[in-house]
Amino acid sequence: MLCLFVTGESNRKCMRNFVMFNHEAIDFQVEKFPLTDVPTDIGVGLRRVDTGETLAIVSEQYTPTQYLEITDAVEEALNQSGLDLSDAEFETKSYDGGAKLELITKFPAHPMKIAEGDVVVPEFKFRTSHNSTWSNNGYVGAFRSFCYNSLVSGNVLGYVYGKHTKNFSVPQFAAKIRTAAEYIAGDGMDQMQRWYNTPIKRDTAIDLFTETLAHRQDNVKREQVANKKKLSNLMKIFDEENRYLLGQGRYEKYAQRNEGTLWTAYQAATYWSSHPEYGGKEGSKAHTTKVTREDQVKKMLNHKMWKELEVC
């Protein structure tokens, strides 16, 4: 950890030996094995060597990638990104008995101020799996320290995708991480500040969420309508954001404002996406819900209605 405070070439050499993520948590091998009474041309099993737990059914041609191998590549990409890793926070999350893996890094050395008391820092996420639920994919977004919810932006993200380790280019991913962080600190930051200063009516927020995050198909009317539960949850968060960011917080009664901003609409969406317990389906897995909702928020930011509101 002391190497984080060394500068220049000495720092780069030291960082190459710096273990960021919890390797002990993912220090296990997986192997293929034949399934009883199932021809191998139909499928084989994939299991943990240490526990014998079956993680997936895969094709005979499938070549498993060990988590430590891909994690080493991710750490090398972060080392090459040029980001200041001082006081960086690293999380290693394994789900479903090791079937899925999520690596998260936050970069507090790169704080960006949206408004008084509202700070955003870059955040890196990488996901992979042994059961084909998540292919190798990673992105750089932002993290709002005001209430600790991830900010998911559809066009601000540096993104990489590849089904196997052989498709994972360390230099390419490092460059994307660096470019995305620079974007957030520059143009992306300017964009977020414009959202902060762009007012929208509460009814407009209702229409926005109805068109994007809270829409559902009515098979009787054969049209898109609002999912009332989702819409209610989103508007409750929107009202609270306006109360605390634009109003007097707890000194102001709930739902007193009929106008917010694009920023508070954005906050409502990202809070909803990063808190799966908020209106989530009973029995659904939290990490799966988060991934689904993050994708929905990215789509919202590329939706025609959001784009129109940006230029109002």
Side-chain angles (χ1 to χ4, degrees):
M1 295 294 287
L2 291 177
C3 67
L4 293 176
F5 302 97
V6 181
T7 59
E9 184 62 26
S10 297
N11 181 55
R12 286 189 288 274
K13 289 179 180 178
C14 185
M15 286 304 300
R16 278 194 282 270
N17 298 318
F18 174 54
V19 175
M20 303 174 186
F21 300 102
N22 183 357
H23 286 207
E24 290 185 6
I26 53 175
D27 188 12
F28 61 86
Q29 300 284 306
V30 295
E31 64 178 5
K32 295 186 295 184
F33 68 96
L35 297 168
T36 304
D37 298 328
V38 177
T40 56
D41 59 346
I42 293 178
V44 297
L46 187 72
R47 66 188 175 196
R48 290 181 58 152
V49 175
D50 57 347
T51 64
E53 181 180 358
T54 300
L55 300 179
I57 307 298
V58 299
S59 69
E60 188 179 14
Q61 293 75 34
Y62 176 79
T63 302
T65 302
Q66 308 301 336
Y67 283 158
L68 285 178
E69 182 181 352
I70 191 64
T71 299
D72 285 343
V74 170
E75 289 179 341
E76 182 61 24
L78 289 170
N79 282 334
Q80 293 183 16
S81 70
L83 287 171
D84 185 349
L85 300 179
S86 301
D87 299 321
E89 302 170 24
F90 301 98
E91 291 184 75
T92 307
K93 296 184 176 182
S94 179
Y95 305 107
D96 298 342
K100 290 181 274 191
L101 173 66
E102 182 177 41
L103 305 174
I104 304 172
T105 308
K106 299 181 181 73
F107 307 99
H110 296 273
M112 296 162 283
K113 189 175 181 180
I114 293 290
E116 191 64 37
D118 207 352
V119 178
V120 172
V121 298
E123 175 180 306
F124 162 81
K125 285 188 179 182
F126 185 87
R127 294 177 176 130
T128 189
S129 68
H130 286 311
N131 63 2
S132 301
T133 304
W134 297 338
S135 296
N136 293 339
N137 68 91
Y139 65 81
V140 179
F143 183 80
R144 184 185 177 214
S145 63
F146 184 79
C147 69
Y148 300 98
N149 61 301
S150 296
L151 304 185
V152 182
S153 184
N155 56 358
V156 176
L157 304 179
Y159 183 81
V160 67
Y161 171 87
K163 288 188 176 181
H164 305 290
T165 303
K166 65 182 181 182
N167 302 122
F168 186 86
S169 167
V170 169
Q172 180 190 52
F173 195 21
K176 286 194 173 188
I177 294 172
R178 182 169 57 251
T179 300
E182 289 173 352
Y183 186 95
I184 293 172
D187 294 341
M189 194 63 188
D190 293 338
Q191 181 185 59
M192 291 179 181
Q193 289 174 335
R194 286 196 300 273
W195 293 346
Y196 193 91
N197 293 305
T198 302
I200 62 169
K201 298 292 185 182
R202 189 174 188 277
D203 286 345
T204 303
I206 293 174
D207 292 340
L208 172 66
F209 293 142
T210 299
E211 287 288 323
T212 56
L213 304 178
H215 74 84
R216 69 174 181 86
Q217 178 68 30
D218 187 322
N219 293 319
V220 177
K221 297 181 179 180
R222 295 180 177 175
E223 62 184 28
Q224 296 285 338
V225 297
N227 180 313
K228 292 183 178 179
K229 182 179 179 181
K230 280 186 182 179
L231 184 59
S232 177
N233 287 330
L234 285 162
M235 291 310 298
K236 181 178 180 180
I237 304 168
F238 178 74
D239 287 336
E240 284 292 279
E241 289 288 331
N242 294 327
R243 178 186 178 192
Y244 281 89
L245 286 182
L246 306 179
Q248 300 176 40
R250 65 183 62 189
Y251 296 103
E252 179 177 296
K253 290 183 179 180
Y254 170 70
Q256 295 296 298
R257 296 179 174 272
N258 292 316
E259 184 175 87
T261 65
L262 271 185
W263 179 249
T264 54
Y266 181 47
Q267 292 304 318
T270 54
Y271 184 94
W272 171 79
S273 73
S274 60
H275 292 73
E277 71 279 4
Y278 207 103
K281 291 182 180 179
E282 186 176 351
S284 61
K285 294 178 179 178
H287 59 275
T288 302
T289 301
K290 284 180 67 175
V291 172
T292 301
R293 289 184 179 184
E294 286 170 1
D295 287 340
Q296 291 173 339
V297 173
K298 283 184 270 187
K299 289 178 182 178
M300 181 192 79
L301 297 178
N302 287 310
H303 191 275
K304 179 178 70 173
M305 186 173 180
W306 180 273
K307 296 296 185 184
E308 290 173 349
L309 290 171
E310 280 187 311
V311 297
C312 287

